Amino acid sequence: MQLNDRLEEKFRLDANQKKALNKLKIFSVADLLFHFPVRYSDISEVKKITELIPGDMATIYGKISKLKTKKSFRTKIPMGEGEIEDLSGKIKITWFNQAYLAKMIKNGENVKLTGKVTKGKNGIYLANPEFEKMPDMPIDSHDTLFKKNNISNIGFSYPIYTETRGITSMWFYHAIEKILKEKTLDNIEDYIPDDILKKYHLPTLKTALIWIHKPKNKKDAESARKRFAFEEVFCIQLERQHDKFEYRKNKSFQIKPNEKEAQYFLERFPFSLTNSQKKSVETILADMAKNFPMSRLLEGDVGSGKTAVAATAAYATVNQRPQDKNGKLQNFGNLQVAYMAPTEILATQHFESFIEYFGGNATTWTPRVQVGLITGSGCRKFPSKVNPGSWTTISRAQLLKWVANGEIPILIGTHALIQKTVKFKNLALVVIDEQHRFGTAQRRKLIRKDGVAPHLLSMTATPIPRTLALTIYGDLDLSLLLEMPAGRKQIITEIITPNKREETYEQIRKELEAGRQLYVICPRIFEPDPEKELALNVKSAVAEAKRLKKEVFQEYEIEVLHSKMSKEKKEKVMQDFSEGKINILCATSVVEVGVNVPNATIIIIEGAERFGLAQLHQLRGRVIRSTHQAYCYIFAEAKSEKTVERLKALKTAKNGFELAELDLTLRGAGELGGTKQWGITDLGMEAIKNIKMVEAARTEAIRLIEEDPELLKYPLLKQKVHQKSGEFHFE
Ligand code: ADP
Ligand code: MG
């Protein structure tokens, strides 16, 4: 069998299997080999039902029956029940609070359950077990495959694959078996350089492929997973380092700020910079003084003052004359800055801040600088000719003309800013606020024909662990704002268990009576579909708004805000909230509230155990700009001490980074979101837990790109990197 062979030519596949493989995007033998097990199940840990002892955590296999859901008699908590039977006996199962689980399995199905053996009034039962469907499991089947291994006593493990209807883990197991038997891997070439494998004790591709699918023991499986996790991070690093290398090949305007002028500018702020801000400003100015473009990421919590840092960089930029071809400063014109925000609201807010910073006034030395705003709904320019203290609307054509001839040095806008139609005369700095990645393709658009590229400053408030930042932002240098401006009131954060709910509402009522406003963040928009019941206990924004109006805050105006509402409706609600016409806003966690309402000083977050700490921290950030004392109430459904302990970190952590690191150690890389959010697979995320591995991948990638930027000596590796990333373009 060859790696490129199509599966349907080598295997007899029925219609369902074909469909399933299609869905998993598995077409060739190679695709199948690179479809890795998500984990391994260990049959040696399985117990017989008759051997169970109360108090143990136990795993059992068996057939399910008598499934039903009901409400508990006393507490009215929904619960699920059933029975499981193996060859030795029967035991009851109970799911408290998770009735939906009972709906995800059917009577007669074979499952593996892991739960706590508990003694009840009517005998022992398995409490809140996790389950896994095992359609072909060994107990009742005549498959000797697993039994044979079991006897040989090597601690047997069988692979579990992402399954989809029509295809099982067992099918994968046999298919891989067949591929391996036919010696398909004998001539497979490794794309990872040999010396790197040796240095980090990683198995070769051939060995790793065998070990990941058919491990003899845990160690082999781990070793194989380690290799593929390393490989993924290494490939991402190669791509990012190559990006960086490419961008740095360009020339840039060298910006050498005049110390004294910079000082004047800093004095314009009604505050003095924090140490973090000062350090970031210094690093950025040093970067911009070089003759190749900066690529820097400024990370800092909401409210840490990123705008002031960016404004200072912008100031240094617009105060300098452009250089001519020979590097000599011209005695006319000035350099330009583009400032990109993710939404129109934010772009407009930045425009207003910049007018303050750059507007100039009689008492300071600073001259005024023209600032433009470009968004989908129109263009503005400051200052207005008629009313020099203010801005005026202008036509897009006029604005573009003044940007193109260099008359407007600072242009703020949404991503419309880097469209082809927007031409700058001397674009020297691009600030990108809150956009996760500014990829190769977007960057390339910024490079001028004469090979001059602007300095890039990206900014984000999304706190992520260092290992993840080093990986996904491998092409950027990092600056962190670790402290908040002094004098800022801390948000008082409380973890509220269900028994304290009423009390808490009364405290909140006092704040509402004093005229403050409240956000209520819910994990869902609508009531869960009763058929699915997957999220039985998760509050929905719509239902919660109704409930609060009916049962708790009758006297107040309550509205909802969620992503399924029309843009107009959303804006209307936000407007009413910021004008105080609405007292309580029930929103989902995903909806970006967008504008800053200083009078909204209280935030409730429902279903807190569902969120990571870093995410909760970001949600809480909505009340951080309040002028009054702000409060955050984290409502946890569970009483579990572990949950409450974890959430307590929100009261003690100094910043979002600390919380992101905690998420990683407490709940693992899965907590951070994989493919969807960062473009890293679950296996790759395993590497994110491992700082040594991430650093190794980074060091090797930097070395390789330095030695051989186009990877000419490593064609297989180049191909792999290319295949893994849609964006990678070697010349
Ligand atoms: P973010 O990092 O979320 O973009 P902003 O730049 O919007 O934060 O700053 C939040 C608020 O803090 C603004 O009102 C800003 O004027 C103020 N601010 C920024 N730096 C300082 C500082 N060093 N001391 C006091 N206030 C500051
Ligand atoms: Mg900001």
Side-chain angles (χ1 to χ4, degrees), residues 398-524:
Q398 185 61 62
L399 180 78
L400 291 182
K401 201 179 121 203
W402 281 332
V403 171
N405 70 15
E407 240 173 274
I408 293 187
I410 300 180
L411 184 62
I412 297 173
T414 47
H415 61 271
L417 206 58
I418 55 156
Q419 278 164 3
K420 267 213 179 104
T421 44
V422 185
K423 292 221 166 31
F424 290 82
K425 187 162 174 77
N426 291 307
L427 183 60
L429 170 67
V430 173
V431 180
I432 305 145
D433 197 8
E434 281 310 337
Q435 266 152 22
H436 284 317
R437 242 185 78 68
F438 195 70
T440 322
Q442 285 161 302
R443 280 189 202 190
R444 201 171 302 123
K445 282 191 202 154
L446 297 174
I447 304 171
R448 281 201 327 205
K449 282 206 191 69
D450 60 0
V452 173
H455 298 289
L456 291 185
L457 176 64
S458 289
M459 306 199 290
T460 176
T462 310
I464 56 173
R466 205 164 85 84
T467 42
L468 185 58
L470 284 177
T471 306
I472 54 177
Y473 304 131
D475 50 342
L476 305 173
D477 298 311
L478 295 184
S479 283
L480 302 182
L481 294 183
L482 291 171
E483 56 194 323
M484 289 301 249
R488 195 71 60 74
K489 284 201 190 90
Q490 283 278 334
I491 301 176
I492 296 177
T493 300
E494 301 291 350
I495 318 298
I496 310 297
T497 46
N499 51 337
K500 296 269 171 60
R501 193 175 269 272
E502 303 308 322
E503 228 171 276
T504 308
Y505 284 143
E506 289 318 306
Q507 281 173 23
I508 292 174
R509 192 187 311 277
K510 287 201 197 104
E511 290 294 311
L512 291 170
E513 277 167 9
R516 305 284 91 79
Q517 287 160 286
L518 163 71
Y519 292 107
V520 179
I521 306 295
C522 300
R524 304 178 53 91

Side-chain angles (χ1 to χ4, degrees), residues 626-674:
S626 318
T627 32
H628 303 89
Q629 175 62 54
Y631 300 88
C632 170
Y633 298 102
I634 309 270
F635 280 32
E637 300 278 346
K639 285 194 207 107
S640 128
E641 223 156 90
K642 236 167 123 188
T643 308
V644 176
E645 268 317 301
R646 183 176 76 91
L647 293 172
K648 273 192 184 149
L650 287 162
K651 296 172 68 122
T652 53
K654 281 196 288 301
N655 52 46
F657 302 104
E658 201 176 313
L659 292 167
E661 296 291 345
L662 262 175
D663 278 335
L664 187 59
T665 33
L666 294 179
R667 303 223 288 194
E671 182 60 52
L672 307 169

Side-chain angles (χ1 to χ4, degrees), residues 271-274 277 300-308 357 485-486 488 625:
F271 46 74
S272 54
L273 295 188
T274 64
Q277 282 172 317
D301 279 347
V302 172
S304 58
K306 296 184 288 294
T307 321
Y357 301 153
R488 195 71 60 74
R625 288 182 193 166

Side-chain angles (χ1 to χ4, degrees), residues 241-252 291-295 443 447 450-453 705 709-710 729-731:
Q241 293 305 328
H242 180 262
D243 267 12
K244 185 173 189 171
F245 169 84
E246 282 287 295
Y247 199 64
R248 283 194 170 189
K249 279 204 309 206
N250 296 299
K251 279 179 294 188
S252 70
N291 64 352
F292 60 88
M294 160 175 84
S295 311
R443 280 189 202 190
I447 304 171
D450 60 0
V452 173
I705 294 291
E710 302 303 326
H729 292 285
F730 280 113
E731 299 177 326

Side-chain angles (χ1 to χ4, degrees), residues 70-90:
K70 61 176 195 182
K71 287 226 163 112
S72 86
F73 179 69
R74 211 164 35 85
T75 55
K76 298 279 176 270
I77 289 173
M79 49 193 282
E81 279 187 348
E83 260 180 27
I84 181 165
E85 177 172 15
D86 70 5
L87 296 176
S88 77
K90 245 189 223 176

